[in-house]
Amino acid sequence: MVELNHQVIKEALASLEFHTKAIINGKAVDALSGKTFPAENPATGQVFTHIALCGEEDVELAVQNAREVFERGDWSRLAPADRRRIMVKFADLIDEHALELALLEVVEAGKPVSETLYTDIHETAECIRWHAEATDKIYDQVCPTSRDNLGMIIREPIGVVAAVLPWNFPAQMAAWKLGPALSMGNSIIIKPAEITTLSTIRLAELALEAGIPAGVFNVIPGEGSVVGQALGLHMEVDCCAFTGSTSVGRKFLEYAAKSNLKRIILELGGKSPQIVMPDVVDLKTTAQHVAAAAFWNMGENCSSGSRLIVHESLKEPLLKALLTEMEGWQLGDPLDPEVKLGSMIGQKHMNNVLSYIEKGLEEGAELRLGGKQVLKETGGYFVEPTIFDNVTNDMTIAQEEIFGPVLSVITFKTEEEAIQIANDTNYGLASSLHTENIHVANRMARLIKAGTVSINCFSEGDSTAPFGGFKQSGFGGRDKSLAAHDQYAELKTVWYENR
Ligand code: TAP
């Protein structure tokens, strides 16, 4: 893997090209209307290119082509081992182009380059490779019938899958859908978030280079309310996989009901708890995990541990360790390899985060760190990591997803109270639990209502572990792991009777 330093980044930036067209049927094309939209670097406030602004007519074309190629079987009927080979090549090409892809995500999203290179793009390739490798290792089933019958349970690809994606991990979220959907033989149309389109366009070009047939992987840039809605309502789209906010997720259920009852898979928001029990000894390590859970990716993370639920006896020593830990979290130019915190995704979102900070102060929470916009002279949208003490779980900052670098500290007295506070939310995506006692860990892990409980760490698990939410954090499936393959497959029963 490339070793990052200022010179390497400077040279790569000098040769960085922006591929700004939609990818339909294997070709880079303008929107049929000819319209474009500006792409802004949120770390500088500067517009750096213009991207095709697609509409319903482009969706129509992409769906028709995706359907044709699916029915023709160019990809859907390839032997699984052939799909594996091509997808592994696709993963290799992502690795080869890792720095280019990483820089695209820096300039579009303001994410730190060390994160986009070593985490986002690395894991994008790993995810495609993992699902690729599974392609010819998943067996179908034979029913336990009498000797007079043979019953087979066969997985078939669903058909045309649309994926509508968020802006916080553009390539990685695309890979979470692409890996299993392509592995099962589907055609896929991705609508990236308008503000983070470029790495997904490059992924589609690399997929073509690897040998994934034209029309199998399409990218339609444009607005959610136009392109996303058109995909959700389309009668020839068989499945919509959506990652984003709970409010837009609900719309996909309506789209399905109003159209063809397409399968809907939703990965939504979160307000995840981090519980620290009174027996924790190593506060320095715990503080490192707490900081990563709350502030990694500037808190623009669905599984962000935005509520620290700490035993009252440990609050002050843990906060002390956390404030020390945060001294090492440098905020600044996301192109600097030393920087750990870049900008917010845009001005509107930054203002939203700042208004939550205002709300926290109004409702009586005590500011222990940060709280302000900084680096205004850059033209970018930077917010300091912010820690609120004396939060109660009914406050707005403890209930609503802020999607920014804001941590609420809440105390508890008993184990029961910790669980009650942790579960007192509409969400149920992720959670962390810190304790030295395996019995406490096992008991509490069963009681926390969340799709992932990470013990003594902040983690979503690797490719082998399913990821998705309880309650209003998700619907209809799981990303990652073999569970993800099933959600892009139809089960068919084939039943024989002896003559
Ligand atoms: P959203 O505003 O929900 O946008 C997500 C996607 O939906 C974007 O591509 C957006 O398009 C599109 N969209 C917007 N309105 C639509 C409509 N009426 N019909 C169809 N599509 C529409 O979320 P976001 O702000 O990008 O991302 C933040 C949210 O995503 C947070 O709540 C976060 O928790 C969640 N998230 C969840 C996960 C997982 S795995 N659970 C992972 C990442 C993020 P445009 O923005 O281009 O208009």
Coordinates of all heavy atoms in Angstrom, one line a residue, residues 2 57 156 174 224 240 363 377 412 425 428 454-455 491:
V2 N 0.4 2.3 -0.6 CA 1.1 3.6 -0.7 C 1.4 4.1 0.7 O 0.5 4.1 1.5 CB 0.3 4.6 -1.5 CG1 1.1 5.9 -1.7 CG2 -0.4 4.1 -2.7
E57 N -35.5 10.5 -17.1 CA -35.3 9.9 -18.5 C -34.0 9.1 -18.5 O -33.9 8.0 -19.1 CB -35.2 11.0 -19.6 CG -34.2 12.1 -19.5 CD -34.5 13.2 -18.4 OE1 -35.5 13.0 -17.6 OE2 -33.8 14.1 -18.3
E156 N -31.7 -17.6 -6.6 CA -31.5 -16.9 -8.0 C -31.3 -15.4 -7.7 O -31.9 -14.9 -6.8 CB -32.7 -17.2 -8.8 CG -32.9 -18.7 -9.2 CD -33.9 -18.9 -10.2 OE1 -34.8 -18.0 -10.5 OE2 -34.0 -20.0 -10.8
A174 N -21.0 1.9 -1.2 CA -21.3 1.3 -2.5 C -20.9 -0.2 -2.5 O -21.6 -1.1 -3.0 CB -20.6 2.1 -3.6
G224 N -31.8 13.2 -4.9 CA -32.6 12.1 -4.4 C -34.0 12.1 -4.7 O -34.7 11.1 -5.1
C240 N -34.7 -2.3 -3.9 CA -33.9 -1.0 -3.6 C -33.2 -1.2 -2.3 O -33.8 -1.5 -1.2 CB -34.9 0.1 -3.4 SG -35.3 1.0 -4.9
E363 N -30.6 23.7 26.7 CA -31.3 22.8 27.5 C -30.5 22.4 28.8 O -30.9 21.6 29.6 CB -31.6 21.5 26.7 CG -32.7 21.7 25.6 CD -33.1 20.5 24.9 OE1 -32.7 19.4 25.2 OE2 -33.9 20.6 23.9
E377 N -11.1 30.9 8.0 CA -10.2 31.5 7.0 C -10.0 30.6 5.8 O -9.6 31.0 4.7 CB -8.9 32.0 7.6 CG -7.9 30.9 8.1 CD -8.4 30.3 9.5 OE1 -9.4 30.6 10.0 OE2 -7.6 29.4 10.0
F412 N -24.9 7.0 35.2 CA -25.9 6.0 35.7 C -25.3 5.5 37.1 O -24.2 5.6 37.4 CB -26.2 4.9 34.8 CG -25.0 3.9 34.6 CD1 -24.8 2.8 35.4 CD2 -24.1 4.2 33.5 CE1 -23.7 1.9 35.2 CE2 -23.0 3.3 33.4 CZ -22.8 2.2 34.2
T425 N -34.3 5.0 23.2 CA -34.0 5.7 21.9 C -34.9 5.0 20.8 O -35.1 3.8 20.9 CB -32.5 5.7 21.5 OG1 -32.4 6.0 20.1 CG2 -31.9 4.3 21.7
G428 N -31.5 1.7 17.0 CA -30.9 0.4 17.6 C -29.8 -0.1 16.6 O -29.9 -1.3 16.2
S454 N -20.4 -4.1 20.6 CA -19.0 -4.3 20.6 C -18.5 -4.2 22.1 O -18.8 -3.3 22.8 CB -18.2 -3.4 19.7 OG -18.5 -2.1 19.8
I455 N -17.7 -5.2 22.5 CA -17.3 -5.3 23.9 C -15.8 -4.8 24.0 O -15.0 -5.3 23.3 CB -17.4 -6.7 24.4 CG1 -18.8 -7.3 24.2 CG2 -17.1 -6.8 25.9 CD1 -19.9 -6.8 25.0
L491 N -35.4 -17.1 -3.4 CA -35.4 -18.5 -3.1 C -36.4 -19.2 -4.0 O -37.5 -18.8 -4.1 CB -35.7 -18.8 -1.7 CG -34.7 -18.7 -0.6 CD1 -35.2 -19.3 0.7 CD2 -33.4 -19.4 -1.0

